Amino acid sequence: MIKQILNKLPKKSSSKSSQNNGGKNDVASNPMNSDVNSSSKTVSSGKSSSKSVNGIHTPNIKSNQGKKSGQLGSIQGLNQAAYEQLPSFRDVPASEKHNLFIKKLNMCCLVFDFTDPSKNLKEKDVKRQTLLELVDYMTSIPSKFNEVTMQEITKMISSNLFRSLPYHDNKLPDVYDPEDDEPSMDPSWPHLQIVYEFFLRFVAAPETDAKIAKRYIDHSFVLRLLDLFDSEDQREREYLKTILHRIYGKFMVHRPFIRKAINNIFYRFIFETEKHNGIADLLEILGSIINGFALPLKEEHRLFLTRALVPLHKPKCLSLYHPQLSYCITQFVEKDFKLADTVIRGLLKYWPITNSSKEVMFLSELEEVLESTQAAEFQRCMVPLFRQIGRCLNSSHFQVAERALFLWNNDHIRNLITQNRKVLLPIILPALEKNTRGHWNQAVQSLTLNVRKMFLDADQSLFDECLIKFQEDELKEKENHKKRESIWMCLEKVAVSEGNEHELVPKAASVAIIS
């Protein structure tokens, strides 16, 4: 009875169930709270979270969740919906311009795919207009950039510029003419160019305090910037040259690191890959840096010359960067004339044997180095140097022989040779005599006669003495040649006779067996 009575009474809901039901009713009645609660649950669970992607607030979706393609599609739709033109700086009061500047920087962090020209046309145009507004705004900054602004600026620059470049495994040919190949153009250049222009104005702006900016334009930033020098787009490398030079001038604390990083690029190019698109551009920057070196030169700079610049003559694609390399080398010699001996011996070490075009480049550079060489340094290296020049005079390639003979047209070099003619004439005269007697090119023969006449006019007695010595050596060489031929003839006769004896023995044995 008691149980039946109790069952008829209305049951009281528990506190836990009432709380749960009440919470559900509240959430259902307030969709905003539903979104907040669901997002807080997902963050705590670790399955999905909310973050800012390229300056646009988008959910982060992990790859292990289902329906990935549908979620990614919603992200793209959210990005496109949020990527709208912000108001112009002229349309907002001065107090709001800084906040608008930060918003535009965050907006430009989104990078578009330019491989498909028909994709995101509106968004690309919006970003381009926004970047142009940022460039214009850089010229009217009322005060210096604070730390937060610099952080946002470097974030936008890094998002757009620092990217993986296309990899090419092929090495450059021995002789490469850039005019024979169409220049490579980056499809994203309409945006990249404006970002580079913004970056250049940021670095050059007096509102940029180097003491604060060095925290964001740090060693890692500089390394990634140097990696971009391998870009195939010449337009990009031109901007990089100017920007890196400005960074080197403004951030004095980074100067040793920049030089060391460029050294490492050269080492990898020389001894590993022999493939890099920006060697000439880096050398062009170094040319102005070397020009500013203080005297006396530091040991670091001397090692840079001997370990990086001189070995750069080794790669086969020297023609791509030789004018810039030659300028750097001559800058060192002009700074310290005692380095001439080191440079000349380095050229002799890497002197090409079978590559005539490289020989012509070496001879041109040699002339520039010798113009800044003093008599004492010249005497240290003149013997091995003119042995090599003698070999060039007798080259069957007329341009090599002609370029070597042009050295005597330089007044300074001719004076150095005349002062040391007692040592150099015995070395060089045999090559001159061989050219006058039998070189196939008429221009080379006439130039050789001119050089021969210079020596004759400078010191006729020495010339006659050297000529007699050359003729005697030539006779001795002919006699030695005859002796060698007679010895070889005797050896051939001995070999023939011994061969006949060996043939007679088997014949005699065969006759005895038959009989």
Side-chain angles (χ1 to χ4, degrees):
M1 291 291 293
I2 295 173
K3 287 182 180 180
Q4 292 177 357
I5 295 170
L6 290 174
N7 288 334
K8 292 180 180 179
L9 293 174
K11 292 183 179 180
K12 184 178 181 181
S13 61
S14 63
S15 61
K16 290 183 180 180
S17 62
S18 64
Q19 289 175 359
N20 291 338
N21 293 334
K24 289 180 182 178
N25 293 334
D26 292 340
V27 170
S29 63
N30 191 348
M32 184 66 72
N33 291 339
S34 174
D35 294 339
V36 173
N37 290 336
S38 62
S39 62
S40 63
K41 287 180 182 179
T42 55
V43 171
S44 62
S45 64
K47 291 183 180 179
S48 64
S49 61
S50 177
K51 73 172 186 177
S52 177
V53 179
N54 293 329
I56 295 177
H57 194 69
T58 57
N60 179 25
I61 299 171
K62 292 196 173 183
S63 59
N64 58 356
Q65 288 181 315
K67 301 181 181 178
K68 179 179 178 182
S69 59
Q71 291 170 342
L72 289 175
S74 64
I75 292 175
Q76 293 175 357
L78 178 61
N79 288 349
Q80 293 176 7
Y83 209 83
E84 296 292 340
Q85 184 91 30
L86 292 173
S88 174
F89 287 107
R90 291 173 292 185
D91 299 335
V92 297
S95 59
E96 296 294 328
K97 286 185 177 181
H98 181 263
N99 292 333
L100 182 61
F101 181 65
I102 299 298
K103 289 180 180 178
K104 287 180 181 288
L105 287 173
N106 287 328
M107 182 179 179
C108 292
C109 288
L110 182 62
V111 180
F112 292 100
D113 182 13
F114 279 81
T115 55
D116 186 359
S118 61
K119 188 178 179 182
N120 302 118
L121 293 177
K122 179 183 175 183
E123 289 78 10
K124 290 176 183 176
D125 187 63
V126 169
K127 179 179 178 180
R128 188 173 184 277
Q129 295 299 325
T130 306
L131 287 170
L132 289 171
E133 290 180 8
L134 291 173
V135 171
D136 291 337
Y137 184 71
M138 289 293 292
T139 59
S140 60
I141 298 291
S143 60
K144 288 193 173 184
F145 297 111
N146 58 30
E147 195 165 347
V148 176
T149 306
M150 287 189 181
Q151 184 177 6
E152 295 298 327
I153 288 173
T154 51
K155 184 182 79 171
M156 188 275 287
I157 293 170
S158 302
S159 300
N160 285 275
L161 299 186
F162 299 152
R163 64 204 188 279
S164 59
L165 299 173
Y167 174 73
H168 298 281
D169 195 22
N170 58 318
K171 292 187 178 181
L172 292 171
D174 296 356
V175 180
Y176 173 75
D177 187 1
E179 296 181 357
D180 294 344
D181 193 11
E182 293 184 1
S184 177
M185 302 295 183
D186 196 315
S188 60
W189 184 246
H191 286 181
L192 286 176
Q193 181 183 11
I194 310 174
V195 175
Y196 273 117
E197 185 65 32
F198 176 84
F199 188 15
L200 178 59
R201 296 194 183 192
F202 168 68
V203 174
E207 292 81 13
T208 303
D209 189 354
K211 294 180 180 179
I212 300 176
K214 69 180 182 181
R215 302 172 191 170
Y216 304 101
I217 301 179
D218 54 5
H219 289 179
S220 175
F221 187 96
V222 171
L223 282 177
R224 297 177 74 183
L225 190 70
L226 286 170
D227 288 340
L228 295 175
F229 273 88
D230 200 16
S231 171
E232 293 186 349
D233 197 327
Q234 177 64 32
R235 302 169 299 179
E236 182 171 11
R237 298 201 303 272
E238 287 294 330
Y239 265 109
L240 287 167
K241 273 193 303 186
T242 308
I243 291 170
L244 183 63
H245 196 272
R246 293 295 181 92
I247 291 174
Y248 188 89
K250 193 160 192 170
F251 299 86
M252 296 184 66
V253 68
H254 290 336
R255 289 182 179 182
F257 180 80
I258 291 173
R259 293 196 299 266
K260 185 177 180 181
I262 294 175
N263 276 4
N264 292 335
I265 292 174
F266 288 162
Y267 293 152
R268 188 163 183 264
F269 170 72
I270 296 166
F271 302 110
E272 293 182 18
T273 63
E274 289 194 10
K275 173 67 178 74
H276 197 283
N277 294 304
I279 299 297
D281 305 289
L282 291 172
L283 286 171
E284 190 172 336
I285 297 170
L286 285 171
S288 59
I289 292 174
I290 294 167
N291 194 25
F293 283 165
L295 294 175
L297 291 174
K298 298 179 181 178
E299 185 63 22
E300 172 204 344
H301 304 328
R302 294 173 182 270
L303 291 175
F304 169 65
L305 171 67
T306 56
R307 295 181 180 178
L309 290 185
V310 172
L312 274 173
H313 292 85
K314 177 186 175 184
K316 296 178 180 179
C317 56
L318 175 66
S319 59
L320 294 178
Y321 55 84
H322 183 258
Q324 294 83 2
L325 175 61
S326 179
Y327 178 77
C328 292
I329 294 285
T330 51
Q331 284 289 307
F332 266 106
V333 178
E334 289 175 2
K335 284 279 181 183
D336 187 357
F337 62 87
K338 293 181 181 179
L339 293 172
D341 176 55
T342 303
V343 169
I344 291 173
R345 291 184 182 276
L347 289 174
L348 295 175
K349 178 181 178 181
Y350 295 103
W351 200 278
I353 298 174
T354 59
N355 193 329
S356 300
S357 61
K358 281 186 72 173
E359 277 196 278
V360 173
M361 287 186 281
F362 271 57
L363 288 166
S364 301
E365 183 177 348
L366 178 64
E367 181 177 357
E368 295 180 5
V369 173
L370 288 174
E371 282 184 355
S372 305
T373 303
Q374 303 297 323
E377 281 66 38
F378 180 76
Q379 290 172 358
R380 293 176 188 169
C381 60
M382 61 183 180
V383 173
L385 172 61
F386 273 80
R387 283 175 182 162
Q388 181 60 54
I389 291 176
R391 288 190 286 270
C392 292
L393 292 177
N394 294 140
S395 173
S396 58
H397 196 290
F398 79 97
Q399 288 182 337
V400 175
E402 193 175 55
R403 191 65 190 82
L405 289 164
F406 282 159
L407 292 174
W408 275 264
N409 292 342
N410 188 293
D411 294 336
H412 180 69
I413 298 174
R414 188 169 63 249
N415 290 333
L416 290 174
I417 296 171
T418 304
Q419 292 170 10
N420 300 277
R421 59 185 179 274
K422 292 183 179 180
V423 178
L424 298 180
L425 186 56
I427 297 173
I428 210 73
L429 184 64
L432 295 174
E433 290 300 314
K434 290 177 183 176
N435 271 6
T436 55
R437 295 178 186 179
H439 200 282
W440 66 271
N441 187 272
Q442 188 63 38
V444 172
Q445 284 192 11
S446 61
L447 288 170
T448 303
L449 290 172
N450 292 337
V451 173
R452 188 177 182 276
K453 188 175 183 300
M454 290 180 190
F455 280 113
L456 184 62
D457 295 341
D459 194 339
Q460 185 172 357
S461 60
L462 176 64
F463 184 87
D464 294 337
E465 182 182 342
C466 292
L467 185 60
I468 292 170
K469 179 72 168 55
F470 168 70
Q471 292 172 350
E472 291 175 354
D473 292 341
E474 199 173 29
L475 289 173
K476 288 180 181 178
E477 181 63 30
K478 289 180 179 179
E479 291 177 0
N480 291 333
H481 182 68
K482 288 181 180 179
K483 287 180 181 179
R484 284 195 297 271
E485 284 188 347
S486 61
I487 291 171
W488 279 111
M489 289 177 66
C490 293
L491 288 173
E492 287 177 1
K493 290 178 181 179
V494 170
V496 170
S497 61
E498 288 184 356
N500 292 336
E501 290 179 0
H502 286 300
E503 288 179 0
L504 290 173
V505 170
K507 285 182 180 180
S510 61
V511 170
I513 292 171
I514 293 171
S515 61

